[in-house]
């Protein structure tokens, strides 16, 4: 039995040729504190584009930085299996699908995702045009709220902020005219520990156009 106040990340088995492990399985709430939330239709901006020629160009006021530059979709594929979470990213194709949040967007955690009472809230995001600090408002099932104050590194310049790690570094991005720009950009991971006696039901992201999740 694993301790309830610990998060298991790795296992090292005995160095013994006379011992063979046939199979194993983690069970119970301590096995996985992560619950993927279905956010289809909840995005309010487009931060990821592809290089498909049929897609056209990025609006001068669009893209990741609201200035015509954006993450390139194929560069983000590795993050889908970024340990220890299997991320499900928003759609990025030529049909102008939104795939990010900004400017005070909200997310409702419902059904089995809320009932599992995950211990951590994990986000992928970045700052643009600088490294902004914003407040994420968390709402619990008992009506109480909490504020998570987090600094977000600019996608061009990683900073040493508490609660942040670099999830993926990419060697290029897409420019406003649909061509590749060989500028290194980053996507960051953020984590907030939730109280063990609360059930998260809602999240409101910072009202800041330079902070994307």
């Amino acid at each position: 039995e694993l301790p309830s106040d610990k998060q298991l990340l790795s296992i090292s088995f005995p160095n013994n040729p006379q011992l063979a492990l046939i199979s194993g399985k983690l069970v119970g709430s301590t096995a996985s504190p992560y619950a993927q939330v279905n956010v289809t239709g909840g995005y309010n901006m487009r931060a990821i584009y592809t290089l498909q020629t049929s897609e056209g160009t990025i609006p001068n006021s669009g893209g990741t930085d609201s200035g015509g530059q954006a993450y390139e979709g194929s560069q983000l594929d590795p993050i889908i299996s970024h340990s220890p979470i299997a991320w499900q990213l928003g759609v990025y194709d030529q049909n102008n699908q939104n795939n990010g949040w900004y400017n005070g967007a909200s997310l409702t955690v419902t059904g089995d995702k809320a009932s599992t009472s995950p211990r951590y809230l994990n986000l992928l995001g970045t700052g643009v045009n600088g490294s902004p600090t914003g407040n994420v408002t968390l709402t619990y099932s008992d009506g109480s709220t909490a504020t998570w104050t987090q600094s977000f590194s600019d996608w061009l310049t990683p900073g040493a902020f508490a609660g942040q790690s670099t999830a993926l570094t990419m060697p290029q991005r897409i420019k406003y005219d649909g061509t590749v720009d060989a500028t290194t950009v980053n996507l960051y991971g953020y984590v907030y520990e939730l109280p063990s006696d609360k059930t998260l039901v809602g999240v409101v992201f910072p009202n800041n156009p330079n902070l994307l999740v």
Side-chain angles (χ1 to χ4, degrees):
E1 182 177 357
L2 300 173
S4 60
D5 60 343
K6 300 290 186 179
Q7 177 186 355
L8 180 66
L9 296 180
S10 64
I11 301 174
S12 295
F13 296 106
N15 185 11
N16 187 334
Q18 296 178 316
L19 190 156
L21 180 67
I22 304 302
S23 67
K25 182 179 181 181
L26 289 173
V27 297
S29 60
T30 56
S32 177
Y34 307 108
Q36 181 79 42
V37 178
N38 184 359
V39 295
T40 302
Y43 301 112
N44 69 347
M45 60 89 65
R46 190 176 189 200
I48 309 171
Y49 281 72
T50 70
L51 288 174
Q52 299 178 49
T53 56
S54 60
E55 184 176 9
T57 58
I58 302 171
N60 289 333
S61 59
T64 306
D65 63 355
S66 298
Q69 281 71 236
Y71 286 121
E72 200 270 289
S74 67
Q75 300 294 309
L76 284 166
D77 288 345
I79 202 63
I80 294 175
S81 59
H82 178 67
S83 179
I85 305 171
W87 293 95
Q88 181 179 346
L89 301 182
V91 176
Y92 42 91
D93 61 20
Q94 69 269 32
N95 296 319
N96 297 313
Q97 300 280 351
N98 287 333
N99 42 47
W101 295 287
Y102 78 142
N103 269 0
S106 62
L107 168 65
T108 300
V109 182
T110 60
D112 62 331
K113 303 309 180 185
S115 63
T116 55
S117 298
R119 302 204 322 269
Y120 300 92
L121 173 59
N122 293 265
L123 304 174
L124 294 177
T126 189
V128 294
N129 305 311
S131 298
T133 297
N135 294 325
V136 180
T137 303
L138 311 174
T139 301
Y140 301 105
S141 60
D142 60 4
S144 63
T145 61
T147 300
W148 170 16
T149 300
Q150 178 67 54
S151 294
F152 291 71
S153 286
D154 187 276
W155 66 330
L156 302 178
T157 312
F161 295 126
Q164 173 187 280
S165 62
T166 300
L168 188 66
T169 298
M170 294 154 275
Q172 64 189 42
R173 60 183 179 179
I174 297 181
K175 294 172 62 177
Y176 64 92
D177 59 0
T179 61
V180 170
D181 174 21
T183 295
T184 299
V185 292
N186 301 277
L187 184 64
Y188 307 101
Y190 301 90
V191 60
Y192 180 84
E193 185 171 2
L194 301 169
S196 60
D197 59 345
K198 301 280 187 180
T199 299
L200 182 68
V201 295
V203 181
V204 178
F205 298 107
N207 189 11
N208 187 334
N210 293 320
L211 194 160
L212 288 67
V213 178

